[in-house]
Amino acid sequence: MKNIIFFILFTLSLLLPGPANSKDYVVRKIIDGDTIQLDTGETVKYLGIEAPQLKTKEGGAEFYAKEASKYNKRLVFMKKVRLEFDHNKKDPQGRLLAYVFVKNLFVNAELVKLGYARASVKPPNIKYQKMLADLEKKATEGERGLWQEKKKDTESYYIGNKRTYTLHRPSCKYVSKIPAKDKIIFRNRADALKIGYTPDKYCKP
C-alpha cells in the first residue's frame, strides 16, 4: 500500500509545475516605466501596458515618462518579483514579456490604475484585458498621471519653474518661492507639457 501511495505522489510531482515556474527574481535595474532588468541579466517588458517613453525618436521624453520610471523604481527596484507569462513569452527583441508581481501587488495593473501607463493589450496576450481596460477608464476619468495632458485650461496663463520643470497655477502658494530668474510664463498647459513640464501636485494646474 505504501509503495502505491509513493508511486502516486511521485507521478504527481512530475506532472505538477516545478519550482522554476514560481521562481523569484530580483530587479537590478529600471530601464523605464514599463521595462526592467533582472539579476539574471534578462530584460522584462511589462505585458498589457505602455508607459510614456523616456527617449523618443525626436530625442526628448514623453509627458510623464520620468514620473512613470520613478514610480516603477519605487515599486520593484531591488525587490523580489514573480513573473507570470501569457501566450508569448518573448518579444522580437528577445525581452521577456510578463505580468509582474511583488508579493500580492500586480505591478502592471498598479501603473495603469495610477496613470503611469496606458493599457495596451495585444492578442494573443489578453489574460488581463478587461481588468487593465477598466483601470485605464477610471484613470482617464480621474485625469490621473499621464491623462492630465488632455486636461482643459482653467487659467489665462501658467507659471513654470525652469529649474524643477514644474508647472503651477498663478495662485499656487509655491509660486512666490520661485526665484525670478527661474520663472517662465505659459499661455496654456499644452505648451508647457510638450517640453517636459510636470503639473504641480499641490495646485494641480
Side-chain angles (χ1 to χ4, degrees):
M1 184 66 178
K2 289 183 179 181
N3 289 336
I4 295 175
I5 294 175
F6 176 79
F7 177 76
I8 293 174
L9 292 174
F10 177 74
T11 303
L12 287 173
S13 69
L14 295 177
L15 297 174
L16 292 173
N21 292 327
S22 58
K23 179 181 177 181
D24 285 337
Y25 300 86
V26 175
V27 177
R28 296 297 188 191
K29 182 180 179 181
I30 304 299
I31 296 175
D32 57 27
D34 58 20
T35 314
I36 56 177
Q37 189 176 77
L38 306 175
D39 53 350
T40 60
E42 296 173 292
T43 299
V44 178
K45 169 69 173 66
Y46 295 176
L47 259 180
I49 73 172
E50 284 292 337
Q53 296 181 23
L54 280 173
K55 294 181 180 179
T56 63
K57 293 180 179 179
E58 293 74 24
E62 291 183 325
F63 175 63
Y64 230 65
K66 293 178 181 178
E67 289 79 4
S69 181
K70 184 177 179 180
Y71 195 71
N72 186 29
K73 182 176 183 178
R74 176 180 169 185
L75 293 178
V76 304
F77 184 59
M78 296 305 288
K79 295 182 181 179
K80 288 184 178 181
V81 297
R82 175 171 57 84
L83 306 183
E84 183 178 315
F85 302 102
D86 208 327
H87 190 275
N88 294 336
K89 190 173 180 179
K90 290 188 177 182
D91 67 6
Q93 288 75 46
R95 301 177 300 182
L96 292 174
L97 297 172
Y99 304 110
V100 179
F101 295 83
V102 175
K103 294 182 179 179
N104 293 325
L105 177 69
F106 184 9
V107 177
N108 308 47
E110 186 74 1
L111 291 169
V112 174
K113 176 184 175 181
L114 299 179
Y116 290 105
R118 300 176 177 83
S120 180
V121 179
K122 301 174 183 177
N125 304 311
I126 59 174
K127 185 172 183 178
Y128 293 104
Q129 183 173 31
K130 187 178 186 309
M131 176 194 290
L132 295 173
D134 289 345
L135 290 173
E136 180 182 88
K137 182 179 178 182
K138 291 179 181 178
T140 304
E141 293 172 347
E143 294 180 334
R144 298 174 188 163
L146 63 88
W147 302 109
Q148 297 177 60
E149 188 174 18
K150 303 299 181 182
K151 191 175 179 179
K152 294 181 179 179
D153 290 329
T154 56
E155 306 284 349
S156 58
Y157 70 96
Y158 298 88
I159 298 174
N161 185 328
K162 291 188 286 186
R163 185 176 61 81
T164 64
Y165 264 62
T166 304
L167 186 68
H168 303 267
R169 294 179 186 276
S171 59
C172 181
K173 69 177 184 179
Y174 293 111
V175 167
S176 62
K177 299 179 181 180
I178 304 174
K181 64 181 178 64
D182 291 332
K183 286 184 180 179
I184 181 173
I185 303 298
F186 292 99
R187 295 302 172 189
N188 56 65
R189 299 176 76 259
D191 288 346
L193 301 183
K194 283 179 183 177
I195 60 174
Y197 276 76
T198 301
D200 175 56
K201 293 181 180 179
Y202 174 75
C203 63
K204 300 178 181 179

